[in-house]
Amino acid sequence: MEKNRVLPVSHAIVFLLIHLGTGLAAPVLSLMLLARGATLATLPFVVGVTTVVTCLLEVPSGIAADVLGRRRVFALSMALQVATYVVLLATPSLAVVAISGVLRGLALAARTGTLEAVELDRVVAEHPEAAERLAALDALNGRLALLESAGMGAGAIAGGVLATLDPSYVLLIGCIIASGAAALAGGLALFPPDARSGAPVRERLRATLADMRATLARPGDIRLVLAASASAGVVMVAVETYWQLAFESLVGAGGTWLLGFVNCAGMGAAALGSAAAMRWGSVASGTRGRRGLYLALQAAAIVCLALFSAAASVPVSVAVYVALYLALGARGVIEQTVLHNAVPSRERSGMASVQSIALRAGGLAGSAASGPAVAALTLAGAWPVLAVLATALAALGCGRRNLPASASVSSPSPHFRVRTKLKD
């Protein structure tokens, strides 16, 4: 590996394969499950099983990655992903689909913060000076976001084509299995083995939990990110749930075919925002500047959510939608820089899982609030209400901070430190 390269090409290919496998299934997942044994009545149950398993194991799996090793847990997650689709090749039945749903939830939970944490640790170790470290984190997080967009987008297009060619979905399932197996092999071959620790697993687990509790109890950038993630969850679930309905009311039923193109434009805007954030971050001055940029992008996303209430024409609605995803794409990159600049290496995967849970919790809060708001105020009146909820959640993280954002990156654990060996 070339030293100081932000993301080696070989590693980028592994990340691309991971997201390609997810993208292949994304556009036709429900149809695939119906073809393999689910029914319209049982489909919500199957999807719900995956969601529940993922939520329950998100944080435990992240802590396991910190304690047992990121590469090891990544291998487990990819093996579970391959098993998810191997099961679907059995004779179609509800049992097959349900087992696959459980395996999918396990794979999604185990996947969070594994190889990304390895890359983040490497960048932090190679850039001890604060300004260089922040710039390198911006660049790495931007590239990871772009790889996710590229993999998901290419996978979605290919998935739709493969589903058309084979209505039984066997061809598509085979391609998903192949991409997962290739990502697993690449991860094991290219990423360094997990460092060995002389401390017993129970002692490492106890120390990691104690460190995470202490980190979460302190005001600072980690608490800011968790609150902003919950706020972003409200924004995302509101748009994903209601934007299509609002758009269709403007264009009529005959214009539904435009949704795919507009969605593609939104994903393109998110990728553009990710790329722009790599430059915007370098313009910002240190941790304070990135924190301000992060809050500004969060505010921009909330404003876009509220502006849907005034989108009375198709061009305005599309413009607001694209602007929203531009802001979300950019804030995601800065968010990861702010978070991982503040998180010690030993807690990186666990905190990534906690942040994912915060995002999901915000989505649940948005779902719970949106139904009554739409019923009472109609959809046009509900957008500002949901924006107020998102603002209130974001404000929870803006209290007084008594710890510099970069202080915890190098602060040693009183118990132990897990180090990752890096290939030269």
Side-chain angles (χ1 to χ4, degrees), residues 30-424:
S30 295
L31 298 175
M32 182 194 305
L33 297 178
L34 290 170
R36 305 310 298 174
T39 65
L40 290 175
T42 59
L43 184 60
F45 163 75
V46 173
V47 175
V49 164
T50 299
T51 302
V52 169
V53 171
T54 302
C55 289
L56 289 177
L57 298 182
E58 184 86 70
V59 173
S61 66
I63 295 172
D66 286 331
V67 173
L68 302 176
R70 281 78 182 258
R71 181 172 175 266
R72 186 176 293 118
V73 174
F74 163 76
L76 173 62
S77 72
M78 296 311 298
L80 286 168
Q81 177 173 309
V82 170
T84 295
Y85 293 96
V86 169
V87 167
L88 283 180
L89 292 176
T91 303
S93 69
L94 178 59
V96 163
V97 175
I99 293 171
S100 176
V102 172
L103 291 172
R104 184 180 298 107
L106 291 171
L108 289 172
R111 172 71 189 89
T112 303
T114 49
L115 293 189
E116 291 88 350
V118 175
E119 296 292 350
L120 288 160
D121 278 347
R122 176 180 58 81
V123 165
V124 168
E126 291 179 354
H127 299 85
E129 198 275 323
E132 291 183 357
R133 181 177 64 245
L134 287 167
L137 286 172
D138 286 338
L140 174 60
N141 289 319
R143 283 166 172 77
L144 291 175
L146 289 172
L147 286 168
E148 181 177 3
S149 297
M152 290 286 289
I157 294 171
V161 173
L162 291 169
T164 302
L165 294 175
D166 177 18
S168 72
Y169 293 90
V170 171
L171 179 59
L172 174 57
I173 291 171
C175 290
I176 297 172
I177 292 172
S179 67
L184 172 58
L188 291 176
L190 298 171
F191 284 77
D194 298 313
R196 294 181 178 274
S197 174
V201 173
R202 181 175 297 180
E203 180 182 337
R204 282 182 281 159
L205 176 60
R206 186 183 302 114
T208 297
L209 290 173
D211 289 340
M212 287 183 65
R213 283 195 297 268
T215 300
L216 290 170
R218 291 195 300 262
D221 284 348
I222 294 175
R223 186 179 294 181
L224 170 66
V225 168
L226 294 182
S229 294
S231 173
V234 174
V235 175
M236 292 176 186
V237 78
V239 174
E240 290 171 1
T241 302
Y242 294 112
W243 182 80
Q244 294 90 341
L245 297 175
F247 184 80
E248 191 174 51
S249 70
L250 294 174
V251 299
T256 303
W257 62 275
L258 291 169
L259 283 170
F261 291 94
V262 179
N263 183 72
C264 183
M267 295 304 98
L272 180 62
S274 298
M278 291 188 281
R279 295 182 178 275
W280 295 345
S282 63
V283 174
S285 177
T287 55
R288 185 183 298 274
R290 282 171 176 79
R291 188 184 303 129
L293 177 60
Y294 178 48
L295 291 173
L297 290 168
Q298 179 74 29
I302 295 173
V303 168
C304 286
L305 180 65
L307 285 177
F308 278 119
S309 64
S313 67
V314 171
V316 173
S317 179
V318 172
V320 173
Y321 182 82
V322 170
L324 171 67
Y325 275 92
L326 181 69
L328 289 176
R331 75 168 288 288
V333 173
I334 304 301
E335 176 175 78
Q336 293 303 304
T337 295
V338 172
L339 175 64
H340 290 289
N341 186 58
V343 172
S345 172
R346 61 189 175 274
E347 304 169 25
R348 199 174 302 285
S349 293
M351 284 300 181
S353 295
V354 171
Q355 189 253 334
S356 179
I357 285 292
L359 184 69
R360 296 176 189 275
L364 290 174
S367 295
S370 61
V374 171
L377 303 170
T378 72
L379 183 53
W383 294 116
V385 172
L386 294 171
V388 169
L389 174 60
T391 302
L393 289 175
L396 295 177
C398 295
R400 181 182 177 186
R401 285 176 289 273
N402 57 13
L403 180 69
S406 59
S408 60
V409 170
S410 59
S411 59
S413 166
H415 308 283
F416 71 96
R417 176 181 289 276
V418 177
R419 296 187 184 274
T420 303
K421 295 182 179 179
L422 302 175
K423 292 182 179 180
D424 294 329

